[in-house]
Structure formats: C-alpha cells, structure tokens
Amino acid sequence: MPPRPSWVHPAGRAKPLHLQQEEWLPREAAHQHRVRRYADPYLKRRSAGRKHPVEDFLFTYYTQKPGQLLRWHPGAGVLLSGPEAAARAGWKFYRPADGAELAAAGLPADTPAVTVDVDAFLRDRREALQFAGIILAGTAARPAQFGCFGLHEWAMVYRQDKFDLRHEYLQLRLGSGRTDEVVEENRIRCSHFDAFRFYTPDAIPLNSLVPSRENQRTMEQPGCLHANMDLYKWAYKLSPLLPGELVMDCFELSWRIRAMDMRASPYDLADWGYPAIRIETPEGKAEYVDYQRAFAAESQQLRARLLQELAPLLNAAAISDSATAGRPQTQDTSPKDPS
C-alpha cells in the first residue's frame, strides 16, 4: 500500500488529536440534543402532513437529512477510541486507525479506534472541497453590499397573477397589485444565483445584476443573506471533515437568517409568529439593514473558522493535484459547484 499523503492537521497539530470514549460521547450527545431541537418538530410535522413556511426550509431546500445532521463528527485529524468508536468504521469516509496512529496516541495496538479517512474524501470529493474553498475565500474578501432590502423574495412573486403562481398556504401581505408596485418602485440588486433563479420571468430583467452558476465564484458577497445561509451548505457538504459543533453553528445562523428573510418577504406570517419587517417603508428598510449588517459580521467570523479548518485539507488537495500535473487531461478539471 502506498504511503498516505502527508498533511498538517488543523490548528497546526502534527498528529491526530486523541479523544477517549468518555470524552467524545458527551460531545456526541450534546450535538444530538442540539439538532433535535430543530429536527424533531420538523419530523413531527412531516408525519402529520403539516408544513411550516419558515422552519421547514433548512430540511427541505438543503439536501442534508435530519438523520445525517444527527451524526456528530470530530473533524479531520481526530482519533476516537473506545468500543463505541468501532461502529464508525463502517461509516462513509471513516477508517480504523492504523498502527502508527495508535502508537502516536499512546494506545495499544489492539485498541478500537477510528479516524476520518481524509484520503478517501479527497479522492471522491476533492472538487467539492476546492469549490467550497473558492466560494468561502472569495466571499470573505469582497466588500459587503446592503442595498437589496430582501427584494429577491418579492421578485419571486412579481406579477404572480399573470403566471398563475400561488403559495399553497400563504397570502401576500399587501395583495398582488401593491406587491408588484413595491418591486417596480425599488432597485433590485440580487447577487445570489440560487435566489435569482426563482424570479418570475417578468422580474428577471428588473435585476441590475445577472448572477449565474458560471459567475457565482466572483459574484457572491458577505452582505447577502443567502450567501450567509449557504455557510451551512458548504459545512455539511464537507462532512465529516468538519467538527459537528461548527456545522451546527452554521445551521443555527442559517435558521435565524431564514426567519429574518421571511419576515421581510411579501408574505403575511403574523399568524405563524413572525411579524413583518416592512421593507416597503423607510423604517422597514433601516431595520432590514441593521439585521443584515449583524448577520454579515457573524457570517464572516464563521467563514474564517471554516477556512481555518479547511486550509490544511485544501493544501492536501493541491498537493494531490500537483502530483497528477502533466498527465493528459480529457476534460475540464477545474472545481465545479457540487450543488
């Protein structure tokens, strides 16, 4: 078997951090308790055939299932030991710790222990890792823009009567006619493709930007609510490389942003417990920007944490790429959006 590529572990560790069972089981339990606060109500509603316009979103729009989110991971470079760890050997992107790793952790050779299989992840998901790194670093480096006022949600229902669009259980707070007027009275400047792509056909030319999948890596900016919500997407797509606590920090930020985003939407959510941010008024616009600035600052801190965790892994991916440099290429191998 060829030697595994040498890579420096997060936070500059020269060898895997070792967590004994009595150390990591409480972290796993705390993570699962944290997830169930959000997942259990969603699963109960789903079983009863009920929907929630705000609180279902992270489980329906994003591809991570509640059962997957419940799985706590220690992150790359961490060795878990103990009888309970052995069950993880069958989990995707995990492997038993080898003799050298056990010795480095001061453990007997027959100790049941596992660690994240970074090599296997890089073989299968290198492009996803690299694309996430590009998006995160690029977004972090750009100035934040705060002039959108959440009008992307309004553009999604612009002239809905013409296109026979109806939300199955929500009403427009101002009615169709006034909602259309708000769109027409304001400059729309959405920079996020995954919001822009849901515009009605008549709203598309009203957007002063033209975000696309192709320019996503140069367009996203840290004032955008959807770019900040997507920190959760990039975090779970890179599991189990990242610690579960960091993934949940991203999830909870996304949850709070979704609530604020829908409060500023054209829908009437008062009966659901979400009072409107009336962005059709100067006071509502100011309130929206206050929230937006706070979320942008919080998101930049999370981006920095994600990039710190990913730095040695991105370096390992780059080393892997350089090892194959010079081989004939039959297709474009630049990182693609894995969404």
Side-chain angles (χ1 to χ4, degrees):
M1 177 182 296
R4 294 193 176 90
S6 174
W7 62 288
V8 178
H9 292 287
R13 296 194 301 271
K15 62 181 181 181
L17 173 68
H18 169 218
L19 293 176
Q20 299 181 30
Q21 184 166 291
E22 57 268 27
E23 296 174 299
W24 65 263
L25 280 181
R27 285 180 60 180
E28 179 183 61
H31 172 82
Q32 292 173 345
H33 177 77
R34 192 176 175 186
V35 172
R36 287 193 174 101
R37 175 187 170 192
Y38 304 95
D40 286 356
Y42 163 71
L43 292 172
K44 288 178 182 178
R45 284 193 299 271
R46 190 178 69 177
S47 295
R50 294 183 287 108
K51 297 180 180 180
H52 196 293
V54 180
E55 297 173 9
D56 289 352
F57 182 78
L58 266 63
F59 297 112
T60 56
Y61 176 76
Y62 292 114
T63 59
Q64 175 91 320
K65 296 179 175 61
Q68 294 170 312
L69 186 58
L70 274 168
R71 283 190 167 187
W72 172 80
H73 302 292
V78 180
L79 188 149
L80 303 180
S81 68
E84 295 290 334
R88 292 177 176 241
W91 290 15
K92 190 172 185 178
F93 299 128
Y94 274 81
R95 60 172 174 80
D98 61 28
E101 290 165 332
L102 291 172
L107 296 172
D110 60 350
T111 303
V114 297
T115 191
V116 172
D117 192 339
V118 174
D119 297 354
F121 191 98
L122 292 180
R123 286 194 299 271
D124 291 357
R125 301 278 293 154
R126 185 177 69 230
E127 284 191 2
L129 170 65
Q130 291 173 323
F131 189 83
I134 290 169
I135 291 290
L136 292 168
T139 304
R142 294 184 192 104
Q145 304 296 321
F146 300 109
C148 70
F149 307 120
L151 285 162
H152 55 275
E153 291 288 343
W154 298 66
M156 293 177 193
V157 294
Y158 180 60
R159 295 182 179 174
Q160 69 168 18
D161 293 339
K162 174 181 177 179
F163 299 103
D164 196 25
L165 298 174
R166 289 289 185 276
H167 197 292
E168 60 183 300
Y169 57 99
L170 292 179
Q171 299 296 318
L172 295 178
R173 180 168 55 82
L174 302 179
S176 295
R178 179 60 185 138
T179 297
D180 292 348
E181 290 175 359
V182 171
V183 174
E184 293 161 357
E185 292 167 356
N186 289 274
R187 182 187 183 200
I188 309 179
R189 188 179 173 82
C190 179
S191 59
H192 196 275
F193 174 68
D194 284 316
F196 178 70
R197 67 190 177 100
F198 290 108
Y199 279 26
T200 64
D202 283 3
I204 290 173
L206 300 180
N207 205 66
S208 60
L209 302 174
V210 187
S212 66
R213 189 65 72 200
E214 289 70 28
N215 65 21
Q216 180 181 7
R217 66 185 67 196
T218 61
M219 184 76 74
E220 293 197 7
Q221 48 86 17
C224 172
L225 295 187
H226 279 259
N228 295 334
M229 289 177 65
D230 278 352
L231 291 178
Y232 169 58
K233 177 176 75 173
W234 304 123
Y236 78 71
K237 282 182 177 293
L238 300 180
S239 291
L241 298 180
L242 299 173
E245 291 85 353
L246 178 53
V247 175
M248 276 306 294
D249 286 347
C250 294
F251 176 96
E252 290 181 340
L253 172 67
S254 186
W255 181 278
R256 290 185 283 114
I257 292 176
R258 170 64 176 177
M260 179 265 193
D261 193 32
M262 289 301 287
R263 287 181 60 202
S265 78
Y267 297 114
D268 185 354
L269 297 171
D271 289 344
W272 297 85
Y274 292 89
I277 297 174
R278 301 179 182 277
I279 59 95
E280 71 275 14
T281 68
E283 297 79 10
K285 284 182 170 66
E287 182 181 5
Y288 184 94
V289 171
D290 285 344
Y291 277 111
Q292 194 177 23
R293 288 184 181 277
F295 283 134
E298 188 175 352
S299 298
Q300 287 289 62
Q301 293 178 356
L302 274 180
R303 270 190 198 88
R305 289 173 58 194
L306 287 166
L307 286 167
Q308 181 180 20
E309 290 282 345
L310 295 178
L313 301 160
L314 289 165
N315 183 61
I319 292 172
S320 175
D321 282 346
S322 66
T324 61
R327 295 180 186 175
Q329 299 294 327
T330 58
Q331 60 182 0
D332 179 10
T333 57
S334 59
K336 308 296 193 301
D337 178 7
S339 300

